[in-house]
């Protein structure tokens, strides 16, 4: 079974530029999560999708971050414009269903450096 | 609101020694607890989880954890570590709110870097 795929693995941009990350979850997984992991901290949820609908985006900085999962499968996360403090690893995860006890499977992450 | 505190940011140990990584959580209602491991430049991998039932949970790679409701703890243990256990370990909590609605999302601790020396 293929795992969660993410691309690119690394990205370096200047502040005020825009960037997009892509995630393809495990086939059949209805729930998709984007986490931000700043160096030295645990991952923090940015947004959670159930199929193509948003369940929780309470911690997404909506003035600069956006995410979509149009067909309920793969997803993109965009930052526009980027700030220095956006430097982090962006992790995508998926689970079969939404309930709390469902194991989340994580992709390898995209390491973003904002200069 | 949920929160997780990992009491040690770094734990150095020698190979074949026992290790305990400490985790305390706070949550208003029912909780599900997880330990994940992250190797350098990789995503997170589930080690073990507590959903209900026996408070002693066994996971992969010889790790186990004990759920202690009265102390709101979920410490991770391994009786004899190997060099390959060197990684960062994250404790996480999920659960339901007072109305029984599932959170779904995980709240993570700050992580504990385990370094195993030869």
């Amino acid at each position: 079974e293929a795992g969660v795929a993410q691309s690119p693995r690394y990205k370096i941009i200047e502040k005020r530029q825009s960037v997009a990350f892509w995630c393809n979850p495990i086939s059949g997984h209805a729930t998709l999560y984007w986490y931000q992991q700043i160096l030295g901290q645990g991952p923090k949820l940015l947004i959670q999708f159930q199929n193509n609908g948003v369940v929780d985006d309470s911690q997404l900085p909506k003035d600069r971050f956006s995410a979509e999962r149009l067909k309920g499968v793969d997803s993109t996360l965009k930052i526009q414009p980027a700030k220095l403090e956006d430097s982090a690893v962006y992790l995508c995860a998926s689970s079969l269903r939404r309930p709390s006890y469902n194991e989340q499977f994580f992709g390898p992450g995209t390491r973003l450096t904002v200069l | 609101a949920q929160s997780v505190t990992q009491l040690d940011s770094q734990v150095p140990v020698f190979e074949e020694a026992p290790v305990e990584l400490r985790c305390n959580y706070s949550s208003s209602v029912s909780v599900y607890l997880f330990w994940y491991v992250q190797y350098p430049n990789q995503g997170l991998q589930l080690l073990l989880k507590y959903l209900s039932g026996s408070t002693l949970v066994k996971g992969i790679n010889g790790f186990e954890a004990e759920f202690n409701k009265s102390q709101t703890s979920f410490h991770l243990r391994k009786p004899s570590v190997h060099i390959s256990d060197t990684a960062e370990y994250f404790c996480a909590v999920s659960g339901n709110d007072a109305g029984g609605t599932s959170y779904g999302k995980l709240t993570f601790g700050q992580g504990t870097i385990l370094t195993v020396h030869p």
Side-chain angles (χ1 to χ4, degrees), chain A residues 9-10 33 35 37 40-45 48 55-56 58-59 89 91 98-109 111, chain B residues 2 6 32 34 36 38 40-46 49 51 88 90 94-96 101-111:
Chain A
R9 291 293 313 275
Y10 305 92
Y33 311 80
Y35 289 87
Q37 185 179 15
Q41 300 180 21
K44 181 187 80 172
L45 181 73
Q48 176 185 344
V55 172
D56 183 351
S58 57
Q59 297 192 87
V89 175
L91 295 165
R98 184 183 166 189
S100 306
Y101 46 82
N102 261 236
E103 177 181 351
Q104 294 184 25
F105 295 83
F106 285 80
R111 183 177 298 275
Chain B
Q2 304 171 117
Q6 291 183 241
Y32 306 108
F34 305 81
Y36 281 84
Q38 187 175 36
N41 298 315
Q42 294 186 28
L44 280 74
Q45 179 185 4
L46 183 68
K49 60 185 176 184
L51 304 181
E88 189 162 18
F90 291 94
S94 184
N96 298 327
T101 301
S102 162
Y103 285 127
K105 73 176 185 182
L106 290 170
T107 298
F108 286 87
Q110 306 91 316

Side-chain angles (χ1 to χ4, degrees), chain A residues 5-54:
Chain A
Q6 289 188 248
S7 67
R9 291 293 313 275
Y10 305 92
K11 190 75 176 178
I12 301 174
I13 61 172
E14 301 276 338
K15 61 183 179 183
R16 291 188 288 274
Q17 286 187 320
S18 62
V19 65
F21 313 127
W22 175 81
C23 171
N24 194 27
I26 292 172
S27 177
H29 280 197
T31 310
L32 185 147
Y33 311 80
W34 283 102
Y35 289 87
Q36 180 192 56
Q37 185 179 15
I38 293 172
L39 187 65
Q41 300 180 21
K44 181 187 80 172
L45 181 73
L46 291 175
I47 188 166
Q48 176 185 344
F49 291 95
Q50 180 73 13
N51 296 308
N52 61 351
V54 175

Side-chain angles (χ1 to χ4, degrees), chain B residues 5 21 30 38 46 51 61 91 106:
Chain B
T5 301
L21 307 184
S30 59
Q38 187 175 36
L46 183 68
L51 304 181
N61 302 339
C91 181
L106 290 170

